[in-house]
Amino acid sequence: MERLTGVSASPGIATGMAHVLGSRVEVHERRIASDTVDGELRRLDAALAHTDGQLARIQQQIAEREHDGHQYRILEAHRLMLQDEHLVEVARGIIRDQQTGAEWAVRKALDQIQVVFDRIEDPYFRDRSSDIAVVGERLLRNLMGMVETDPDEAPQGSIIVAHDLSPSEIAQLGRAGAVGVCSDAGGRTSHTAIVARALGMPYVAGVEGLGHKTWSGMRLVVDGTRGEVILDPDDAALNHYRERADHQRARARRLTALRDAPAETKDGVRVHLAANIELMEEIAAAVEMGTESVGLFRTEFLYLERSDLPTEEDQYAHAVAALKSAAGRTITFRTLDLGGDKMPAAVRIPSGQNPSLGLRSIRYSFHRTDIFRTQLRALFRAASVGPSRILFPLISGVAELRMARAICQEVCAELRRDGLAHDPNTPLGAMVETPSAAMIADLLAEECDFLSIGTNDLIQYSLAADRENEHVGYLYHPLHPSIMRSLRQIVLGAARHGREVAMCGDMAGDPLFVLVLMGLGLRNLSMAPRQIPLVKSVIRASTLGEAEKLANTALTLRTESEVEDLVYNVMYDRFPIELDDGQSDRKD
Ligand code: PEP
Ligand code: MG
């Protein structure tokens, strides 16, 4: 048994067998005798047939659950690649002419294909090389008799071990039945972590040495609450974690009873609690948890889970379906927030040396106004079907906000000319997630209908600490005095113009921070659906007086640890149930 520590990226406890996701298969050259060439060719044929059979099986599973047939078609293309002469005939030729093992021949054929792809100028076709790589690695694993490592084939109840994972991979794994995740890389507010929380999958990121110490089939415990992974736990440890998991589930059940109670303090101050949504299936769960609206709909996930660009009709249908599941609750659709750690397959976004400081989010929308306009057309049309708002991400100044608004006006004029129903009065908001936007929150508030604070990025940019990078995770401190002051300034800036200010970053959903946020003047919090009952429970047991006292004292302190000591002590004393993770020493 061994305990490794990382970052708590999605709370909860999971136990199960490890399923290690592989990367590039290591192949060594193997010379063969001339009389074994035919045998080697037969091995290749058998592996091709086996691989095709696996893909056909996955295709069948997808056909049963997918509606638009998109992934099914990708699998069809992958199966055709197994018959491609550039792969199969070239590999056969290498076995025959160079008398090498089949694995080496396949690797060389794949490398040759890669060279051709690298020369293609069109980014769309160049990116298709990843498809051939996926098929090729699967073929190699089969040739070498390795355990399957396809995300779609993660055994039910398994725990995924990976170096790194993309947001769409984790969504796929969750749907395939994986119950927990751990990775060497990644951070607490990465979008992969956000999806893990959305799916309720415990996730520990940034676990050093994980890749070298685990193998498929090993028993693991992922303690996402405390950020620990236990390798090969003994019976006593397993019992301990099972008890804690039971305890956490029982508390969640108790708190869900608050579903229909208002989020109101003991002295009558009302707080609006909303849900953050990444995947359509979360909306029903959010309604179940008692959400009052969808405060952040991350529309880019529609782009991340497919290999082509969604059309206006696709996006319109998606937004209308979301409004339907929200059953009359307002949805705040955030426009595309691509780039950084969210790279779609359909378009190539130049990442530059510093992806999160580069062409991401609203900047990419301005760069590809064709994609942006298509999305806006869909959203303004959907707004005529149900209550909606539109939110622009990563706004750094008034000029960007004006540019986004001007494009909205043009899009609405176009929809009018096309005779399509739409709502030109849809409220437009700006996210405050850069220090620049925080400093001029009053100017932004004056020129839009509402503000929404994205603390994940605001903290990343304020403390200059990449939210993806496990080496600087230690700098992530939501209670840092600089963040306290920024939040206060944003609230005052919005109030100056009578605008609503919401918070939709992760900070809004952590029960530890609720009192401070209320004390700073926030009355609208949007969070992962399963956090709603916890946050509501804290609000209902508190008073505005104590919240303001706590925030005002916090604002006088000079270091993040002083603020944390103050806030944690108050919160663990006042809210032992909401902050109890089944192990009494969390605050130490
Ligand atoms: C944020 O930055 O806090 C936010 C809500 O946006 P995202 O996490 O999608 O970047
Ligand atoms: Mg953000």
Side-chain angles (χ1 to χ4, degrees), residues 189 191 194 276 296 298 300 334 337 342 360 431 433 453-458 467 504-506:
T189 58
H191 288 92
I194 287 169
N276 291 351
L296 173 68
R298 290 182 162 103
E300 57 277 3
R334 179 176 70 183
D337 190 24
K342 287 180 282 194
R360 69 165 283 219
M431 284 197 74
E433 42 185 358
I453 309 173
T455 49
N456 304 337
D457 278 318
L458 185 62
R467 60 197 268 192
C504 63
D506 281 336

Side-chain angles (χ1 to χ4, degrees), residues 48-62:
L48 284 163
H50 182 53
T51 308
D52 187 57
Q54 286 174 342
L55 294 179
R57 251 197 340 274
I58 301 172
Q59 222 179 1
Q60 189 53 40
Q61 288 160 4
I62 286 173

Side-chain angles (χ1 to χ4, degrees), residues 442-522:
D442 56 332
L443 305 181
L444 293 172
E446 199 174 355
E447 301 206 19
C448 65
D449 301 304
F450 65 101
L451 298 180
S452 186
I453 309 173
T455 49
N456 304 337
D457 278 318
L458 185 62
I459 296 169
Q460 142 165 280
Y461 294 124
S462 297
L463 298 171
D466 186 345
R467 60 197 268 192
E468 284 296 301
N469 187 329
E470 64 276 18
H471 302 296
V472 291
Y474 72 94
L475 288 166
Y476 177 83
H477 286 281
L479 293 176
H480 193 286
S482 66
I483 305 299
M484 293 289 95
R485 289 186 184 194
S486 293
L487 296 180
R488 186 75 189 132
Q489 185 163 342
I490 300 165
V491 169
L492 293 176
R496 195 167 307 153
H497 299 284
R499 299 288 192 261
E500 172 196 303
V501 57
M503 176 182 283
C504 63
D506 281 336
M507 189 177 184
D510 191 328
L512 260 176
F513 305 138
V514 176
L515 222 53
V516 166
L517 295 180
M518 284 198 315
L520 288 170
L522 283 147

